[in-house]
Amino acid sequence: MTVHYISEQNSILNHFLTQLRDVNIQKDSMRFRKNIERIGEIMAYELSKKLEYKDIAVQTPLGIKHTTTIAENLVLCSILRAGLALHQGFMNFFDDAENGFVSAYRHHYNNDDEFEILVEYKATPTFNNKSLILIDPMLATGQSLVAVLKKLLVDHNPKQIHIAVVIAVPEGIKYLEENLPDTCHLWVAALDEKLNEKNYIVPGLGDAGDLAYGNKL
């Protein structure tokens, strides 16, 4: 798996990441969602450099311009509900892409630290011979992303797989490398230190879904 670390070079991306983490700024859920969306736009731009392009000729008011355009059919697929704002950022740039949505969550059997990932809802177009961009803000254990991809790949054979996350930890990246095809691309806005004993990202930013859309039961 090829891993792309976007925040290694200073840019406005790091400014938005800093605001996401700030406990005072986090109180404004609209601003939190907007910053996630902006990060999605930046990630979409960086990812676009790895896509295939084709030559075209465009008629302008004064002549013909020979240029290029994306040659791939893209499918954006986000994991509900936390992935929605990030998905919007990608959709702002890849406005011709098809879109899919999948649910995945940690199910704790006895309200303890042990859990399994349940994938219970899927609404996607076909992405046979298309490039799939799977979107989820937080890469913690990696189990959710692997479970979702296994579910999606039962009936589909994408041309290429890209995974886009805002924050990741080494443990999650290692799990993806061990369980996903070597041809996958992982796009990481920020790499954090570790998982704690409850498998939450440290220092992280908290629960992205709750911060964006309110606390859940």
Side-chain angles (χ1 to χ4, degrees), residues 21 106 138-142 167-173 190-206:
R21 299 180 191 270
R106 295 181 182 184
M138 311 296 283
L139 172 54
T141 67
I167 296 177
V169 287
E171 297 97 320
I173 294 174
L191 180 64
D192 273 16
E193 182 182 343
K194 62 181 181 179
L195 294 176
N196 65 13
E197 65 280 358
K198 293 184 179 295
N199 288 313
Y200 295 133
I201 295 175
V202 178
L205 52 75

Side-chain angles (χ1 to χ4, degrees), residues 13-171:
L13 171 65
N14 289 334
H15 175 77
F16 296 142
L17 286 166
T18 298
Q19 291 190 354
L20 284 183
R21 299 180 191 270
D22 190 310
V23 293
N24 295 308
I25 298 176
Q26 283 182 350
K27 296 174 184 177
D28 185 343
S29 60
M30 185 171 67
R31 189 171 181 182
F32 185 88
R33 291 194 303 272
K34 188 62 179 179
N35 281 332
I36 290 278
E37 181 181 337
R38 288 164 167 165
I39 289 170
E41 292 176 341
I42 294 169
M43 296 185 75
Y45 171 74
E46 294 296 333
L47 189 154
S48 74
K49 299 175 184 178
K50 295 296 183 181
L51 299 178
E52 293 182 6
Y53 288 78
K54 61 183 178 183
D55 295 328
I56 63 168
V58 176
Q59 177 70 57
T60 80
L62 298 178
I64 300 293
K65 173 61 179 178
H66 294 277
T67 182
T68 60
T69 189
I70 293 175
E72 298 186 45
N73 294 315
L74 303 178
V75 176
L76 308 177
C77 185
S78 62
I79 299 179
L80 300 172
R81 63 181 168 153
L84 290 175
L86 190 63
H87 187 115
Q88 183 63 52
F90 274 83
M91 197 162 55
N92 290 347
F93 275 30
F94 299 133
D95 49 5
D96 292 329
E98 297 176 274
N99 297 271
F101 304 91
V102 181
S103 72
Y105 67 95
R106 295 181 182 184
H107 174 62
H108 296 265
Y109 292 103
N110 301 307
N111 294 319
D112 55 18
D113 293 338
E114 297 297 322
F115 64 88
E116 70 169 336
I117 302 298
L118 297 184
V119 181
E120 296 184 338
Y121 173 82
K122 180 181 74 168
T124 70
T126 179
F127 43 84
N128 289 323
N129 204 35
K130 300 174 184 177
S131 292
L132 172 66
I133 303 176
L134 185 59
I135 298 165
D136 195 20
M138 311 296 283
L139 172 54
T141 67
Q143 293 180 47
S144 294
L145 282 166
V146 170
V148 165
L149 265 179
K150 286 183 176 179
K151 186 87 168 180
L152 293 175
L153 297 180
V154 169
D155 301 315
H156 305 274
N157 183 28
K159 175 183 177 182
Q160 196 169 48
I161 298 172
H162 296 271
I163 300 169
V165 302
V166 175
I167 296 177
V169 287
E171 297 97 320

